[in-house]
Amino acid sequence: MIKVAIIIGSTRPGRNGEAVAHWVGDLAAKRGDAEFELVDLKDFDLPLLDEVMPASMGRYDLPHTRTWAAKIDSFDAYVFVTPEYNHSTSGALKNALDFLYSEWNNKAAGFVGYGVNGGARAVEHLRLMMGELQIADVRAQVTLSLLTDFENYSVFSPAAQQENAVGAMLDQVIAWGGALRTLRSHALSRG
Ligand SMILES: Cc1cc2nc3c(=O)[nH]c(=O)nc-3n(C[C@H](O)[C@H](O)[C@H](O)COP(=O)(O)O)c2cc1C
């Protein structure tokens, strides 16, 4: 079975992202077709990018980069749970993406966005980054509205149909995650 990380893209005190990610994790855990793990950026306490070399050069000098790299390398696919800040994703998630390169390559990703317009603009920005990181992003995405899927913008109370949206997104992430694992193993066996 493939391993999928559900990455909490917000580190703010009082963040809505934690409840959203746990809801995705609980729905995912009911499936039997992949393993899922919540990955909280807060636990990695990454500083603003402080490596000398760009990640694509493959040299990580600092212990926090190596710890983050080992965690991300252990997955076949990712679900990015992203807030929308100023029409983009969080600085924390952008920074965490920038820290690594090969660990992201030839993996699959799906998105759960939340904001006034379902975090749609944050997800569009993330999609632009995916190509450069060689992550294959699936079409289906979850768009949670602060107006209708939260009470008072802060108590997460998703509309019933959002569960179907999570299911459709995970179906695609798992299918592509499996296909890309095959691709990676062929690449390795060719040396
Ligand atoms: C700095 C900042 C900028 C924001 N900009 C937007 C925005 O452009 N569009 C939007 O829909 N919501 C915006 N919001 C509202 C957030 O979507 C909302 O606060 C959400 O709960 C943030 O996720 P978090 O609680 O997990 O940090 C912004 C919030 C912050 C803190």
Side-chain angles (χ1 to χ4, degrees):
M1 274 200 292
I2 70 158
K3 284 186 69 182
V4 183
I6 299 166
I7 298 179
I8 308 178
S10 166
T11 54
R12 213 173 53 83
R15 60 197 170 159
N16 281 326
E18 204 169 326
V20 173
H22 281 277
W23 169 74
V24 175
D26 290 346
L27 291 172
K30 293 182 187 158
R31 305 172 63 107
D33 52 355
E35 286 175 39
F36 297 91
E37 182 180 326
L38 287 185
V39 173
D40 191 344
L41 293 186
K42 261 183 103 146
D43 294 339
F44 292 85
D45 209 15
L46 291 167
L48 287 176
L49 182 61
D50 57 352
E51 285 284 349
V52 174
M53 303 295 282
S56 57
M57 303 302 284
R59 191 187 99 188
Y60 300 149
D61 290 334
L62 299 167
H64 52 257
T65 313
R66 294 198 187 123
T67 302
W68 177 233
K71 174 54 74 180
I72 290 306
D73 197 37
S74 69
F75 296 103
D76 300 291
Y78 311 97
V79 173
F80 294 106
V81 177
T82 182
E84 181 167 305
Y85 296 156
N86 296 314
H87 290 198
S88 188
T89 191
S90 67
L93 180 54
K94 172 72 165 68
N95 187 56
L97 286 162
D98 292 343
F99 255 101
L100 307 179
Y101 188 67
S102 66
E103 295 77 10
W104 298 118
N105 293 173
N106 298 313
K107 310 270 181 81
F111 305 95
V112 178
Y114 53 98
V116 177
N117 293 305
R121 295 162 295 214
V123 171
E124 287 301 302
H125 269 187
L126 279 168
R127 288 187 187 280
L128 281 177
M129 287 175 229
M130 296 294 106
E132 186 59 17
L133 290 169
Q134 300 188 53
I135 298 176
D137 51 319
V138 304
R139 177 176 189 255
Q141 73 186 58
V142 183
T143 53
L144 297 164
S145 166
L146 282 179
L147 307 176
T148 54
D149 294 304
F150 292 81
E151 292 163 18
N152 299 322
Y153 305 97
S154 58
V155 178
F156 186 45
S157 176
Q161 78 271 11
Q162 297 292 9
E163 291 195 13
N164 294 337
V166 172
M169 180 272 295
L170 290 177
D171 286 347
Q172 294 184 2
V173 167
I174 292 165
W176 283 22
L180 287 163
R181 183 159 74 169
T182 308
L183 179 143
R184 291 198 309 281
S185 66
H186 283 319
L188 282 176
S189 65
R190 281 202 309 273

